[in-house]
Amino acid sequence: MKIDVLTLFKDMFNNIFSESIIKRAIDNNLVEINIHNIRDYSKDPHKKVDDTPYGGGPGMVLMCQPIFDAVKSLRTSNSKVILLTPSGTLYKQSLALDLSHEEHLIIICGHYEGFDERIKSICDMEISIGDYVLTGGEIPCMVLIDSITRLIDGVIKKESYQNESFTTNLLDYPTYTKPRVYEDLEVPEVLVSGDHEKINKWRYEQQLKLTEKNRPDLLKGDGSCE
Ligand code: ADE
C-alpha cells in the first residue's frame, strides 16, 4: 500500500514511523509512506495556504488551490482521498480493516480553524477519530496510518488481531506473564491449570464482564465493531 499525507506540519511526522511494527512494514515494502508539505503546492508568491473566512469569523481557512493541486498530482485511478475533520464519520476498526485493503490512500490533515468546504468535493470520505477536537489532523492521521498498517496482509500475524478488542463485539481478555505472584497480586489459577477448555471459557467470561463494565454499547450492537 502507498500512503501520501498532505500536511502543513511535516516535522510532526519525524520518527513516528521509524520504530517497531510500522518501521518493519516499511522496511519489508508492505507500505510506503510519503509526507508532503501542502505549502509546496501553493502557487502564491509567498506560499500562502490559508485566508480569512467569507462571512467573517475567527481564524484562517485552508484554501482550495494548494490542496486541489496536490491531490491532482498524487491521485491515480486507485486512490482513496481521505479528509480528517472532527465533523467526519466516526473511525472504527471495521473501517481500518476496509482501508487496509486499498492500494493508495491520500490523507489530508486539516488545520487552523478549518478548510474551504469545496475541498470536500475532491475527497472520497471524511473521517473523525473521536468526539473531541484536536489542533489539527496530524495526530488523527498517525492514528489512521498505525491502525491500517498493522492490518495489511503480512504485517502482523492474523491471530494477533482476530480476537482483539473491536474485531468482535467484545473487548480483549486480560493477559498475564511471569512472575506468578507480584507484590501479592496473583495470576488467576485457571491460567496455569493447563486445561485449555477451561482457559477459553474463563477468557470469554472475562471479555463479557469487561465489555459490560467499560463498553456496554458494544453489546447492544451500537458500538465500535460495525
Ligand atoms: N481534526 C481535529 N480534530 C479531529 C478529530 N477528532 N478527528 C479527525 N480530525 C480532526
Side-chain angles (χ1 to χ4, degrees):
M1 177 192 288
K2 184 173 162 191
I3 304 176
D4 285 299
V5 175
L6 296 174
T7 174
L8 284 172
F9 301 97
K10 245 184 113 167
D11 286 351
M12 281 181 76
F13 292 85
N14 288 350
N15 299 324
I16 187 90
F17 304 126
S18 58
E19 301 275 357
S20 186
I21 292 169
I22 311 296
K23 175 187 172 4
R24 215 170 51 223
I26 295 169
D27 290 348
N28 292 337
N29 296 318
L30 295 168
V31 67
E32 176 190 324
I33 303 169
N34 306 305
I35 314 292
H36 307 271
N37 189 341
I38 293 169
R39 213 171 284 283
D40 291 343
Y41 291 90
S42 171
K43 286 188 174 139
D44 180 81
H46 305 291
K47 296 283 168 201
K48 188 177 158 85
V49 289
D50 53 12
D51 213 329
T52 51
Y54 277 119
M60 301 291 273
V61 175
L62 215 46
M63 298 157 86
C64 287
Q65 180 274 314
I67 304 280
F68 271 60
D69 283 4
V71 170
K72 263 181 219 155
S73 82
L74 297 168
R75 186 175 228 160
T76 69
S77 55
N78 295 318
S79 308
K80 195 140 243 174
V81 182
I82 297 169
L83 181 63
L84 288 165
T85 161
S87 47
T89 56
L90 202 55
Y91 190 55
K92 293 183 181 181
Q93 184 70 9
S94 52
L95 182 52
L97 188 60
D98 286 348
L99 292 174
S100 75
H101 300 127
E102 292 291 337
E103 236 171 73
H104 182 211
L105 301 179
I106 299 173
I107 306 178
I108 305 169
C109 306
H111 226 276
Y112 298 131
E113 296 299 323
F115 44 82
D116 191 306
E117 185 69 14
R118 291 166 290 189
I119 289 172
K120 287 185 182 170
S121 69
I122 56 164
C123 297
D124 298 301
M125 61 175 79
E126 296 147 45
I127 295 178
S128 163
I129 63 157
D131 293 340
Y132 39 78
V133 181
L134 297 161
T135 53
E138 282 71 18
I139 291 171
C141 176
M142 294 171 203
V143 168
L144 252 68
I145 293 178
D146 189 286
S147 56
I148 292 166
T149 301
R150 66 190 287 279
L151 297 175
I152 294 173
D153 250 3
V155 173
I156 57 172
K157 291 196 196 94
K158 272 214 165 71
E159 308 94 85
S160 305
Y161 59 83
Q162 259 162 356
N163 288 314
E164 71 186 358
S165 299
F166 311 120
T167 302
T168 64
N169 65 340
L170 295 174
L171 298 178
D172 214 351
Y173 53 76
T175 55
Y176 297 81
T177 187
K178 294 175 188 71
R180 181 104 185 252
V181 182
Y182 183 75
E183 291 190 355
D184 293 337
L185 299 167
E186 285 186 34
V187 173
E189 194 69 36
V190 63
L191 295 180
V192 290
S193 68
D195 183 337
H196 286 281
E197 209 173 298
K198 257 198 199 157
I199 291 172
N200 287 340
K201 185 170 172 282
W202 179 86
R203 284 179 169 165
Y204 178 68
E205 285 162 3
Q206 294 298 312
Q207 285 187 282
L208 267 179
K209 233 193 221 167
L210 188 64
T211 313
E212 267 161 12
K213 177 172 164 263
N214 290 349
R215 293 295 303 274
D217 56 309
L218 295 180
L219 293 172
K220 286 189 214 112
D222 54 358
S224 290
C225 312
E226 318 85 56

